[in-house]
Amino acid sequence: MKPFVIALDGPAAAGKGTLAKRLAAHFGFAHLDTGALYRAVGLAVLKAGGDPTDAAAATKAAQNLAPATLRDPALRSAAAGDASSKVAAIPGVRQALFDFQRRFAATAPGPDGRPCSGVVLDGRDIGTVICPDAPVKIFVTATPEARAQRRLKELQERGETAIYARVLEDIRARDARDAARADAPMKAADDAVHLDTSDLDIDQVFERAKEIVERTIVDQRRS
Ligand code: CDP
């Protein structure tokens, strides 16, 4: 049996990560934060003293990504976020990360190594490129201002000095870069459900997404 796939896409700080974790825990599914892969590549380039827009350096970093980088607390820093969307525009980087994501979606490895019955992937191109056949696709959005408030809080909780105006500017720049790139730009799949989280708290977002998943599971069993 192929794993049941939930594809969550959307712009920076829209709440995909938190939602993905909640859904995965609730349904007992495996979870892959695909943004962490791009953040890890960006961070690896920065740590080597390189430039994240350098295609050769970034592609090499993606091909040689060390699992330890994926656990680096600096992954969630503002600098890694900025570098991630620069390396994500490079086709060689996307290509190097493609197979890993596809394999994860096809095998849904659980924490104990045994496969789960389903998988949640969150990112920018899951519903369009990585898992175009996913039975559940949700495009999670929120206004740039709401997202900037959430990201500001996250960065401050990490102990970073951050100011709202700068965070909002960074979010806008990252949205523009992610949506404008030629290779796998951020966009909602035609068959994605749009979920605007600007005025919802995490419990409300989770309830709505859970209903969408449950409805799809029931429909699949009927057909
Ligand atoms: O956590 P946040 O919403 O800030 O972003 P993220 O999900 O960690 O993703 C970081 C960056 O990786 C994004 O700005 C994209 O440029 C890139 N990304 C991508 O291109 N494709 C994906 N499937 C996931 C992330």
Side-chain angles (χ1 to χ4, degrees), residues 8-17 33-39 75-76 80-89 94 97 101 122-126 130 147 151 154 171 174-175 177-179 181 183-186:
L8 300 182
D9 289 302
K16 303 177 301 290
D33 168 7
T34 67
L37 303 174
Y38 294 91
R39 284 175 176 267
L75 228 51
R76 298 300 312 169
D82 181 66
S84 66
S85 78
K86 290 179 176 155
V87 300
R94 306 202 72 84
L97 302 178
Q101 295 174 82
D122 71 284
R124 303 290 186 287
D125 62 344
I126 308 304
I130 305 294
R147 291 187 282 124
R151 185 48 44 94
E154 185 191 330
I171 285 217
R174 198 128 71 84
D175 284 357
R177 215 154 42 214
D178 286 350
R181 68 174 176 239
D183 193 7
M186 168 178 71

